[in-house]
Amino acid sequence: MSLKAKYVCSECGRGFDISPKLMLCPDCSKDRRPDRPLRGILDVVYEGAFDGELVDPIQMLPVEPEFFPNIPVGGTPLWRPERLCGRTGFENLLIKDDSLNPTGSLKDRASFLVAAFARKFGISEITVASTGNAGSSMAGVGAAANLSITVFVPKDAPTAKLVQALQYGARVVRVDGNYDMAYDLSMEYSARTGSLSRNTAFNPMTIEGKKTAAIEIFIDLGHSPDVVFVPVGDGVILAGIFKGFADLLSMGFIEKMPLVFAVFADGSDAICRAMESGDFADPIRSSTIADSICVDVPRNGYRALKYLREFGGQCVRVLDDEILAAQHELAMLAGVFAEPAAAASYAGFLKSKSNIDQSAETVILITGNGLKDIDSAKRGIDFSENAISSIEEIL
Ligand SMILES: *Cc1c(COP(=O)(O)O)cnc(C)c1O
């Protein structure tokens, strides 16, 4: 079965037909300031009741199954890390390991839906501005989907993350400026060439695609968990998790929303500050070891804020040292090697767990693989000469 869907503006509530020509509400996005999050983000809203059995999250997406590329995105394991349960005293701690997606991050969920959307509308080129995971993800999923991918990267984009995109055969355009400049130039390019923009938050399918992580958690458990920890940069994964559970709630699959903890690096917390003060203020230059959650102006800020308020989400900040310690602990006690942004999820849990009932079913969302950023990972361990043993020492 396929549900009928439309776009509804998350601010004014105006409805629109779904089309690749429309990305933001034309009314609400009119007065957008570049130093503030995007306005007029469009939600995908479904009409009619879901009938039949829910076995695959694709059933809850607005593109028919035949358009999705032949690459195994999603279906990542939800499992109980026994030693971490012992260490934390949380008997029902679970890891949802999205680093096991084809390109190594949760971004594949958005790329997967955007690729299907492009194929449905006969579009052959996709453009994206990215500092790392979104670009390499779109490149990999695009390769499987036989789409041309152009990735706009800022001047100082880490080499390691570009290698992946180039391996997948994407065209990489280096912009002489920061991520914001790459973002603006990519928008200009897609407007001129008619290629589809996968820019995060701007393309409504990025939020909708990421919701499948929540749907899978529900399919595996048969109910909604009590608590979910999500690392936050632009706030699209966060909105996707809320959207997934909210859709399940409105379609009658679950009876309650989980309590969602949004985890921020201490040096990149614009959404957190907006929660405290009531609105977004002038940007502060962000800085954290967790590059995937390092943003000055979170693109999905207003939408994320609205979800946090509507469902009583909590914000938690973690320091870089706490992220590095959490990364090492996850690796040592669970065998999960997460990149810093993903380890922030677990760091946020360690910081908040005294306020959570120990019996709560608690999901830690791991969003990206540790091999994507070896330089940061080296900082959390002793990597000096004497940390590595010689044969003489051990025999
Ligand atoms: C993109 C990303 C995030 C943050 O997602 P947002 O949608 O930008 O909030 C977290 N972890 C990893 C590994 C990512 O690639």
Side-chain angles (χ1 to χ4, degrees), residues 221-236:
L221 294 176
H223 53 256
S224 61
D226 298 312
V227 182
V228 184
F229 280 85
V230 183
V232 182
D234 280 309
V236 174

Side-chain angles (χ1 to χ4, degrees), residues 127-356:
T127 307
V128 60
S130 164
T131 57
N133 288 339
S136 54
S137 169
M138 196 64 251
V141 174
N146 193 20
L147 296 164
S148 309
I149 308 301
T150 302
V151 186
F152 285 75
V153 299
K155 193 173 60 191
D156 59 356
T159 316
K161 293 201 174 184
L162 297 183
V163 171
Q164 217 187 343
L166 289 166
Q167 272 286 344
Y168 292 127
R171 179 166 60 162
V172 175
V173 183
R174 205 192 289 264
V175 170
D176 191 22
N178 61 9
Y179 172 67
D180 293 84
M181 259 181 83
Y183 197 96
D184 292 343
L185 282 170
S186 81
M187 300 273 245
E188 196 181 321
Y189 175 83
S190 49
R192 268 202 225 164
T193 58
S195 76
L196 183 70
S197 173
R198 183 228 179 269
N199 280 357
T200 196
F202 175 67
N203 185 328
M205 296 299 153
T206 56
I207 300 175
E208 196 64 12
K210 287 175 171 181
K211 87 174 182 185
T212 58
I215 313 286
E216 284 174 14
I217 292 170
F218 162 73
I219 290 175
D220 282 359
L221 294 176
H223 53 256
S224 61
D226 298 312
V227 182
V228 184
F229 280 85
V230 183
V232 182
D234 280 309
V236 174
I237 296 178
L238 179 69
I241 293 295
F242 274 123
K243 175 72 158 61
F245 286 113
D247 280 358
L248 289 165
L249 189 70
S250 70
M251 292 179 193
F253 286 104
I254 58 174
E255 271 121 53
K256 65 162 179 69
M257 291 291 284
L259 171 60
V260 175
F261 281 83
V263 185
F264 300 83
D266 190 61
S268 175
D269 63 346
I271 294 174
C272 208
R273 279 182 278 121
M275 267 294 268
E276 288 156 1
S277 71
D279 199 1
F280 287 90
D282 290 339
I284 296 175
R285 185 176 296 260
S286 56
S287 162
T288 164
I289 192 164
D291 67 305
S292 299
I293 52 171
C294 189
V295 293
D296 298 356
V297 182
R299 308 281 146 180
N300 203 35
Y302 291 113
R303 187 71 193 95
L305 199 62
K306 199 171 170 196
Y307 271 129
L308 285 165
R309 286 181 178 146
E310 184 178 357
F311 296 116
Q314 304 280 315
C315 292
V316 43
R317 294 176 175 89
V318 290
L319 301 168
D320 279 2
D321 283 347
E322 293 169 323
I323 291 175
L324 288 174
Q327 180 183 41
H328 196 25
E329 190 167 304
L330 262 178
M332 284 195 301
L333 297 183
V336 172
F337 184 25
E339 69 165 89
S345 235
Y346 181 59
F349 164 70
L350 292 177
K351 206 152 188 175
S352 324
K353 72 183 177 51
S354 59
N355 302 320
I356 305 170

